[in-house]
Every structure is written in structure tokens, then in C-alpha cells.
Amino acid sequence: MAHIGSVVLKVADARRAAEFWTRALGYELVNGPIGDESPVLAPKDGNGPTITLDEDDRTHLDLHVTGEAALRAEVERLVGLGAVRVPWTYPPGAGFVVLADTEGTVFCVVDTGQN
């Protein structure tokens, strides 16, 4: 079963948001903001989801699974619960699937086993 791996927040200024959220939550910057990468903030003790700050994408949850088979199985399980596949242009080798819940809220199921 998937777990919340990251909360993706849409922000206007990733650097400013990273400074605020690291101080507000006691998280640490573990990736970015460099070039095209979105900053990723993580709890210092490693317990809890990360926060990804994105200037382009909408706010959503990333549910994590490990492995392609787990990704397929989790997507089918969630569709069985009422989620729907969202039309999306996927990059080659995408390790994620975009779904919407029963209220139309978009979220991703991500294979964290991919590089």
C-alpha cells in the first residue's frame, strides 16, 4: 500500500518558500533549489513526508510505492476505490501515474525504486 511520500506545494518563489518552511517546521533542505530542480525539504529526524516546492506544478500529494509492479497494483487498487486516471503527457520512462480522487483532486503515485 502506498504512503504519503511528499506534499508538493505550488509556490511563487521557491527560495523564499524554502527559507520559510525550513524554519517553520524545523525541516532541512535536502535538494535544490538549483537550476530546474524543485527544492525538497525533509524532517531532520527522517520521520514524515518531505515537502517539494514547485513553481510550476499544482499543490498535490505524491504517494510512494517501490517497484513497477507495486505501482501498477496500487494504481489499480486506487481506481477500484473510485480514483480516475488523469490525461497526462508522460516523459519517457515515467515512474509515476497521475490520478484524481473522488473529489477531482489530482495526486501522483510514484515508483521510488526508479532512479
Side-chain angles (χ1 to χ4, degrees):
M1 182 175 294
H3 67 277
I4 298 173
S6 188
V7 176
V8 180
L9 296 178
K10 180 175 176 58
V11 297
D13 183 324
R15 288 180 191 272
R16 182 178 64 210
E19 183 177 327
F20 173 80
W21 285 112
T22 55
R23 294 175 65 199
L25 298 175
Y27 274 39
E28 61 187 352
L29 181 67
V30 295
N31 185 33
I34 302 167
D36 293 332
E37 293 187 37
S38 297
V40 176
L41 314 176
K44 289 181 181 178
D45 66 5
N47 293 318
T50 62
I51 297 173
T52 302
L53 304 170
D54 197 307
E55 294 177 354
D56 300 318
D57 208 351
R58 66 179 83 176
T59 296
H60 66 277
L61 295 177
D62 280 350
L63 305 182
H64 288 183
V65 297
T66 303
E68 187 177 329
L71 176 65
R72 286 192 308 270
E74 189 63 14
V75 167
E76 293 311 312
R77 185 182 80 81
L78 293 166
V79 167
L81 293 173
V84 295
R85 294 175 183 267
V86 173
W88 202 264
T89 303
Y90 291 94
F96 66 96
V97 175
V98 181
L99 299 173
D101 69 11
T102 56
E103 300 300 310
T105 305
V106 174
F107 65 97
C108 296
V109 183
V110 180
D111 175 5
T112 59
Q114 289 197 351
N115 294 331

